[in-house]
Amino acid sequence: MKEGQATAIHRLDYAPPAYWIDTVDLTFDLDPAKTRVLNKMRVRRNPDAPAQPLRLDGEELNLARVLVNGAGTSFKLEGGQLVLENLPEGDAPFELEIFTTCAPAKNTQLSGLYVSGDTFFTQCEAEGFRRITYFLDRPDVMASYSVLLRADKAACPVLLSNGNLVEQGALPEGRHFARWQDPHKKPCYLFALVAGKLVAREQQIISRAGQPHLLQVYVRPGDLGKTEHAMNSLMASIAWDEARFGLSLDLERFMIVATSDFNMGAMENKGLNIFNTKYVLASEATATDADFAHIESVVGHEYFHNWTGNRVTCRDWFQLSLKEGLTVFRDQEFSQDMAGSPSARAVKRIEDVRVLRTAQFPEDAGPMAHPVRPDSYVEINNFYTVTIYEKGAEVVRMQHNLVGRKGFARGMKLYFERHDGQAVTCDDFAQAMADANPASPLALHLDGFKRWYSQAGTPRVRAEGAYDAATQRYTLTLTQSCPATPGQPDKRPFVIPVELGLLAQDGSALPLQLEGEAAPGTLSRTVVLQEAGLTLSFVNVPSAPVPSLLRGFSAPVILECDYSDAELLTLLAHDSDAFNRWEASQRLALRIATQAIADSALSTGAEGQIDSKILPASYIEAMRSVLRHPGLDAAFKELVLTLPSETYIAEQLDVVDPQRVHAVREAMRQELAAALQADWAWAWEQHQHTGAYRPDAASAGRRALAGLALAMLCLAARASGDTVWPGKAYQRFKDAGNMTDRFNALSALVASGHALAQPALARFHQLFKDDALVIDKWFALQAGSPDRGGNVLPLVRQLMQHPQFSLKNPNRARSLIFSYCNANPGAFHRQDAAGYVFWSERVMELDAINPQVAARLARALDRWSKLAEPWRTAAREAIARVAARPDLSNDVREVVTRALANV
Ligand code: TRP
Ligand code: ZN
């Protein structure tokens, strides 16, 4: 457990550090049971801070010795901190030497120095460095690091740390050493070391600037064949950052190391990125198209941090989105640029928005809602959230939209000119953007815009249009509001860029001319809503138009507009904006779902399934024409034909009966499967893959649509009793040349509940039993399978007994436990509350092992207060049971306390 008490830290309490640490000289004698760490620092008082003792953070360390300028000194240990009061007078630097030991093999939290499969790894963000040595563990203290690693040569042939390798050699007793020096100053959260038995794929490159660099991807022996895609992604990232932003690699050597025990996706340690194996290892036989795409974007993300995060870092952890929001924006842009065609870019945008709306909107409406720049926290690990990352990226994207692509590049340039080598704030970023674009709407409304950083909650924009045929005038009124969030009862208006266009009833685009403008202009433009309301008067509009609003999802808001079904069908068929075409399909489906959920007249069967027909013929026909459309990309069709998730549907309701939501969505899928059966069969045949496997966007899109078609055909077969398609699915499962097709076929069988699912699962396990990442898929698929008479929970409990299950490995815990609690609402929200009991047991069990991961699981019931009875009471009781535990980590305690407090 953590030392110290759970007290909130407030952004406005920020004060500069009392001391600076200029250099750090670390010596590690690595041993899994007891690692010795000698930490020699050059320290000086901060002349701009009031005189005070030096308080160094430490956690789970054994302190052996403290020396100041080579001599013993008095010290205290207070609440985990090492306090030094008798330090040399004056501002002159002094040498502080601290000798401690720690136990990496016992570190199950995976924060600090730990062992994974006999290899040493570190994870220091956000506050893990204090678990390695006593330090000023805060990002505004930046130092030059020199690191000496010593270890047994047979056990740890590879010794890595940040920067450049300056010396290595043998030592007595079979040991050896390596010395690394980082040429760049950095905060301690970017420190890293890796030591163990690893092999590397290497690549020499010459940058645009003519500089040579060595790139390495380190993995366990045996995994080298799965590193090609990661290396290609790294090379593409380096080229992209040079081309798009003029940012080059500032190190001779850049390393990526993969570990199978990791709390998150990856970490941007300077020159030594450490990755979850999930985001490095890929082969066509073991990884899906989605895995390939994630690897590309995570490799890009960590690499882009080298400038946005490392060269310019955060002043304090409240500014986390300064680096995360900006870097997510950059990785999203990178993936779009890599995807190529406008349609493939739109697909990526839709996928990103889907994540935002299914994960971040609920967060923004729930008990953990917080601004992109939070005002307080108890445990910073709890604030690595979709709000900081994904909403933060939207806030950067809006700035991009308000200053334009070139203006944004200018703003980035100014940001680095001003702040390279500094630890800064979100304000500094927005100020640089505005100052580089003084005439832009961002600069004109900067204070209002910055409310996106300070106010939580998802704004609602209401749009109302009125057409006057006599004057050929179309008046569009936009108004905004934002619901209260914890600690923020009232909100002031946001600055909201709304990209829009008008369509004639026949779907053609109308030129936009606002009252007062001399001539019709473009077909699409961005207006800025920066007060409570805005009225736009379009003139020379020949007939009543259909407005296409918030094109490309130009702001992270909920847009309310009373479209008729016919208008949505027009947008779906004709909008020039691919995002809004997809959005129209989602609105249609959502409307059908919410009406059916409320419709008590629908007849339901014994297992709660809905027997009545729900889908209007117009919707089915629209879906058919999208599916058969000769001009649309397969990836886009797959997105349109996939119904909104249960989570997203639930967010639209005031009171949620999760079983009803599940039943309605299933009924809609079943009906779509049956009504389009011939079309699905056509789509399956048309999108068979030919030739060698390539993970590019176009081929992945074809596989995605074929996969959806197969799933729908198996679903239709379930209802009709037909055995042809399950048979075909089994055949495809057996013969598939790549994991995407194989796993899609397996999922289709599992989802349809066909008897062939069992032999297929067994065969899959047999084939891949030695590949941890594939076994994760095997666990996840079963935990996410549709509930039939309450069978999933017993299955999950049984799988916990499987010899390959371990709660200690975060990937495995996520694959089974999170897949059930977070990703299978129909099976999790049981009438008998057994799902919630299971959840509370696992949260408490995990908390003793790994509080960071436990706290993420703890968030599965965030939205409990929206549930209908009996779920609501049962969920609250489950949370209260967790909260009643006296020995909880700060991480879990903060989550459950907020869940119970903010209703
Ligand atoms: N900074 C990392 C990223 O977004 C993620 C990260 C933060 C992390 N804290 C972590 C990773 C703790 C592992 C463990 O790229
Ligand atoms: Zn990041």
Side-chain angles (χ1 to χ4, degrees), residues 694-877:
R694 284 190 53 216
D696 62 287
S699 353
R702 284 192 291 275
R703 281 186 289 270
L705 185 58
L708 177 64
L710 188 59
M712 293 306 249
L713 290 159
C714 288
L715 200 62
R718 177 183 160 79
S720 67
D722 152 62
T723 58
V724 173
W725 282 104
K728 283 198 189 192
Y730 191 74
Q731 201 59 40
R732 168 50 48 93
F733 160 73
K734 282 202 309 185
D735 302 346
N738 61 73
M739 179 53 88
T740 305
D741 287 339
R742 192 190 293 275
F743 196 71
N744 282 346
L746 178 62
S747 308
L749 287 171
V750 170
S752 70
H754 194 273
L756 285 169
Q758 286 318 310
L761 279 166
R763 191 185 173 104
F764 190 79
H765 183 269
Q766 185 56 33
L767 271 175
F768 296 107
K769 58 181 178 308
D770 299 324
D771 190 317
L773 294 173
V774 184
I775 294 304
D776 286 338
K777 295 183 196 302
W778 181 80
F779 277 107
L781 181 61
Q782 295 177 79
S785 60
D787 207 48
R788 312 227 191 267
N791 68 325
V792 177
L793 180 57
L795 173 63
V796 170
R797 285 193 182 271
Q798 184 195 320
L799 285 169
M800 281 189 68
Q801 304 305 315
H802 192 281
Q804 287 180 293
F805 181 75
S806 163
L807 210 53
K808 286 199 173 136
N809 175 254
N811 285 0
R812 197 50 54 84
R814 285 186 280 256
S815 73
L816 185 61
I817 313 294
F818 287 54
S819 297
Y820 174 67
C821 298
N822 279 327
N824 194 350
F828 177 57
H829 295 280
R830 293 166 57 115
Q831 286 269 4
D832 65 3
Y836 302 161
V837 171
F838 175 81
W839 166 86
S840 64
E841 291 167 358
R842 297 296 81 71
V843 169
M844 295 187 287
E845 194 180 352
L846 252 177
D847 198 31
I849 299 169
N850 187 330
Q852 262 185 64
V853 176
R856 300 216 166 237
L857 181 62
R859 299 208 40 200
L861 282 176
D862 261 15
R863 301 295 274 141
W864 68 271
S865 68
K866 239 176 128 75
L867 294 169
E869 295 296 355
W871 297 279
R872 188 177 193 274
T873 299
R876 190 185 54 226
E877 281 171 4

Side-chain angles (χ1 to χ4, degrees), residues 125 266 268 301-302 305 308 323-325 327-328 331 384 389:
E125 188 176 5
E268 70 264 24
H301 180 97
E302 305 311 330
H305 269 315
T308 49
K323 73 179 178 80
E324 295 305 347
T327 305
V328 171
D331 82 53
Y384 286 76
Y389 278 68

Side-chain angles (χ1 to χ4, degrees), residues 492-514:
R492 302 185 60 201
F494 294 83
V495 174
I496 302 176
V498 180
E499 190 185 337
L500 52 78
L502 299 177
L503 276 67
Q505 300 294 331
D506 69 357
S508 60
L510 296 168
L512 303 177
Q513 184 178 8
L514 282 173

Side-chain angles (χ1 to χ4, degrees), residues 153-460:
K153 188 165 184 178
C156 296
V158 171
L159 301 173
L160 308 175
S161 191
N162 318 81
N164 301 319
L165 177 62
V166 290
E167 199 187 349
Q168 58 183 330
L171 292 169
E173 293 171 41
R175 293 177 77 78
H176 71 146
F177 76 93
R179 183 183 292 282
W180 292 81
Q181 231 153 32
D182 190 340
H184 301 280
K185 284 195 155 205
K186 64 170 175 287
C188 66
Y189 81 87
L190 291 173
F191 166 80
L193 78 79
V194 174
K197 286 198 197 74
L198 299 166
V199 291
R201 173 185 290 267
E202 300 197 338
Q203 179 81 47
Q204 299 275 353
I205 59 159
I206 307 285
S207 68
R208 280 200 165 194
Q211 291 301 309
H213 304 275
L214 173 63
L215 311 181
Q216 296 175 311
V217 178
Y218 283 91
V219 294
R220 280 206 296 259
D223 284 338
L224 215 45
K226 294 180 184 159
T227 54
E228 186 184 355
H229 182 65
M231 180 62 88
N232 287 342
S233 301
L234 178 58
M235 289 192 290
S237 306
I238 294 170
W240 183 85
D241 219 7
E242 286 198 322
R244 174 111 180 229
F245 289 111
L247 299 172
S248 326
L249 177 55
D250 57 3
L251 290 161
E252 292 163 22
R253 178 198 289 244
F254 192 88
M255 298 169 278
I256 286 178
V257 190
T259 170
S260 49
D261 292 285
F262 207 65
N263 282 348
M264 307 260 273
M267 179 64 212
E268 70 264 24
N269 315 301
K270 186 77 187 188
L272 181 56
N273 289 355
I274 298 181
F275 273 59
N276 189 324
T277 42
K278 186 174 162 57
Y279 298 112
V280 175
L281 302 179
S283 71
E284 64 186 78
T286 60
T288 61
D289 294 332
D291 295 328
F292 275 85
H294 288 144
I295 289 168
E296 181 181 89
S297 79
V298 177
V299 167
H301 180 97
E302 305 311 330
Y303 177 75
F304 303 143
H305 269 315
N306 192 50
W307 280 94
T308 49
N310 301 4
R311 288 289 288 251
V312 181
T313 194
C314 303
R315 186 191 73 174
D316 54 71
W317 291 120
F318 297 103
Q319 318 300 326
L320 181 57
S321 197
L322 171 74
K323 73 179 178 80
E324 295 305 347
L326 176 54
T327 305
V328 171
F329 169 76
R330 277 151 55 70
D331 82 53
Q332 290 176 347
E333 288 294 292
F334 167 60
S335 293
Q336 284 198 21
D337 287 349
M338 295 293 287
S341 73
S343 162
R345 301 178 71 92
V347 164
K348 169 66 177 155
R349 180 67 184 139
I350 291 166
E351 288 167 351
D352 291 339
V353 172
R354 210 160 54 168
V355 170
L356 187 82
R357 293 206 295 212
T358 53
Q360 198 279 325
F361 280 19
E363 179 166 272
D364 235 349
M368 278 292 288
H370 54 277
V372 167
R373 184 192 57 208
D375 292 318
S376 74
Y377 60 77
V378 172
E379 172 51 66
I380 184 57
N381 285 323
N382 285 334
F383 287 81
Y384 286 76
T385 59
V386 276
T387 297
I388 301 296
Y389 278 68
E390 270 69 26
K391 186 176 181 179
E394 294 300 320
V395 172
V396 173
R397 185 173 295 282
M398 286 188 285
Q399 295 177 63
H400 176 270
N401 296 346
L402 289 170
V403 302
R405 188 182 158 107
K406 283 201 183 127
F408 190 82
R410 266 199 306 277
M412 288 285 277
K413 191 157 169 280
L414 184 59
Y415 175 62
F416 289 114
E417 278 166 17
R418 283 183 181 171
H419 301 301
D420 189 10
Q422 300 175 6
V424 306
T425 65
C426 297
D427 284 323
D428 294 320
F429 178 79
Q431 195 64 53
M433 267 303 146
D435 289 350
N437 298 280
S440 68
L442 177 67
L444 298 178
H445 312 300
L446 186 61
D447 287 342
F449 183 85
K450 289 203 307 193
R451 289 176 200 140
W452 284 109
Y453 286 105
S454 60
Q455 297 187 144
T458 308
R460 289 173 182 271

